[in-house]
Amino acid sequence: MDDFNTFIQDWKSTPQAPQNNGKNTDDSLMAKVRSFHKKTVFENLKVSVAFALTFIVMGVIYTVFKEQGWLFYTSILALMVLMTLTLVMFWYRTLFWRRLDFNRDVLGFSNKVIKKLKTTLWLEGIYMPLYLLLLAVILTFYLADVLKSEEPLFLYGAWALSYAWLWGMGMYGRRRFIKKRRPELEKIIREMENIRNTLE
Amino acid sequence: MNKKEKLFHDVLKQYSGKIYRLCYAMVYDKSARDDLYQEVLLHLWQSLDRFRKESDIGTWVYRVTVNTALSHNRRHKRDQKIIGGALPADDGMAATDTIAEKKEQEQRLEKLHRAIRQLPEADRMLIGFYLEELSYKEIAKIMGISVNHVGVKMNRAKTKLMKVYNNG
């Protein structure tokens, strides 16, 4: 069939894909995972340093200011517990690379990455707003005790400023999460799930 | 370069063009096609360790390609048979050469691809293998059916393709 001979010639002239190899195929997704992992670790380190400084300041306040009300000590302790819990969760979402070898155990690696990324999604999407809310509650009690001898207006002003600051942080974080982080994370999760589904 | 990398490099050298052309037949959306191609390469890389030397490497490559493409289409529930002209206009095949023959060939190729995409998934695969000049025996091995069965299905697929091509 002449037509099919022509088809065969034409077919062979189909444009080629960019030259690639299996390692690069893995690597393009792995590059995204590594880059995301680096950003996560860097973020964790920043938070750890900030929290460490806060702990030191809180520790000093706790020990220096004696004979304060129970609200004062409770709110400082509550803050320390909240921050410790948050820090633990931040580090929990980090993938400890050396424990897993992608080439030896692709399925295990994919499952681990998906789990960590979903934890990050939950942390940034659900836990952080909750964290700010709890922080607001703690600050309410703390300021109520610390400023109990001041004018009520001063206390309300302090509360309002604290809430405004937390609200601003919350809105900034939420916007960043919805516009940038969530699509980024969901894309990597989808790609890892595709790999996992084809291997299962 | 270790043994596995060398083998993979050799496989790619010989088969990357064929794999991509088959992906072209199976998936019409360019970005999905590139994804499928990457997925096939990934599967080939991952399954190289499990490749049993008794089967022909070409058969193994095509089998991985077919299985990946079928699985890809099942997951995305698109790129199934389409009737009519709902195809992307720009398929990444823009002419870069102004020579008349080359332009004509590109137009014929585009028409051929459009015709192939209107076939059912199984026929697209068969036509792809035929255009890659695989023998019926090789196709039978890849698809796990008899040579006679390949012959019957191939004739039907070629008839359908000619009909769609001439009407297009």
Side-chain angles (χ1 to χ4, degrees), chain A:
Chain A
M1 263 204 201
D2 276 344
D3 286 326
F4 272 91
N5 286 336
T6 313
F7 284 170
I8 288 170
Q9 297 310 313
D10 292 343
W11 172 261
K12 298 268 165 85
S13 69
T14 300
Q16 293 295 297
Q19 283 310 300
N20 210 327
N21 63 38
K23 286 202 82 195
N24 288 348
T25 304
D26 294 357
D27 287 352
S28 60
L29 177 58
M30 283 307 105
K32 278 187 216 167
V33 172
R34 274 194 189 97
S35 156
F36 185 80
H37 168 74
K38 253 189 212 164
K39 278 188 214 167
T40 304
V41 169
F42 186 63
E43 211 172 278
N44 285 357
L45 287 171
K46 276 196 298 186
V47 169
S48 300
V49 168
F51 277 24
L53 290 172
T54 311
F55 274 129
I56 291 169
V57 169
M58 289 289 124
V60 166
I61 291 173
Y62 191 91
T63 47
V64 163
F65 291 92
K66 311 269 183 213
E67 293 170 17
Q68 299 294 317
W70 68 272
L71 261 180
F72 174 82
Y73 297 111
T74 311
S75 53
I76 290 185
L77 278 172
L79 180 65
M80 287 183 166
V81 166
L82 180 66
M83 286 168 65
T84 307
L85 190 67
T86 305
L87 201 57
V88 164
M89 283 197 275
F90 267 57
W91 283 104
Y92 176 75
R93 70 180 174 158
T94 308
L95 184 70
F96 291 98
W97 213 265
R98 286 192 192 124
R99 284 196 197 154
L100 288 165
D101 184 344
F102 178 79
N103 285 319
R104 280 180 194 273
D105 180 15
V106 181
L107 196 57
F109 187 90
S110 310
N111 282 332
K112 201 80 184 180
V113 169
I114 289 166
K115 185 179 171 186
K116 296 290 179 182
L117 291 175
K118 283 185 172 175
T119 303
T120 304
L121 256 181
W122 175 84
L123 200 65
E124 295 189 19
I126 295 172
Y127 178 77
M128 286 315 290
L130 187 64
Y131 167 79
L132 290 174
L133 188 66
L134 288 172
L135 203 57
V137 169
I138 292 169
L139 269 176
T140 304
F141 292 128
Y142 176 78
L143 289 171
D145 194 277
V146 159
L147 300 174
K148 60 182 177 241
S149 53
E150 300 294 333
E151 293 289 322
L153 211 58
F154 191 76
L155 174 62
Y156 302 148
W159 276 343
L161 268 173
S162 307
Y163 300 153
W165 175 74
L166 288 170
W167 176 260
M169 296 277 287
M171 290 313 293
Y172 168 75
R174 188 84 194 148
R175 190 170 278 178
R176 188 173 160 258
F177 173 71
I178 289 173
K179 286 215 153 113
K180 194 170 180 256
R181 292 284 282 181
R182 189 165 64 185
E184 206 177 50
L185 280 164
E186 285 174 345
K187 189 167 194 279
I188 302 176
I189 290 171
R190 257 196 317 272
E191 289 183 30
M192 292 303 308
E193 280 177 340
N194 281 342
I195 289 182
R196 185 183 62 181
N197 292 342
T198 56
L199 294 171
E200 275 174 342

Side-chain angles (χ1 to χ4, degrees), chain A residues 10-12 20 22 26 198, chain B residues 8 12 17 42-43 108 132-133:
Chain A
D10 292 343
W11 172 261
K12 298 268 165 85
N20 210 327
D26 294 357
T198 56
Chain B
F8 190 80
L12 271 194
L42 179 65
H43 282 180
R108 282 200 313 268
E132 285 299 326
E133 298 185 280

Side-chain angles (χ1 to χ4, degrees), chain B residues 9-24:
Chain B
H9 180 75
D10 291 340
V11 165
L12 271 194
K13 215 169 150 188
Q14 203 180 346
Y15 291 100
S16 63
K18 298 174 202 281
I19 294 167
Y20 193 68
R21 286 193 291 269
L22 285 171
C23 293
Y24 227 107

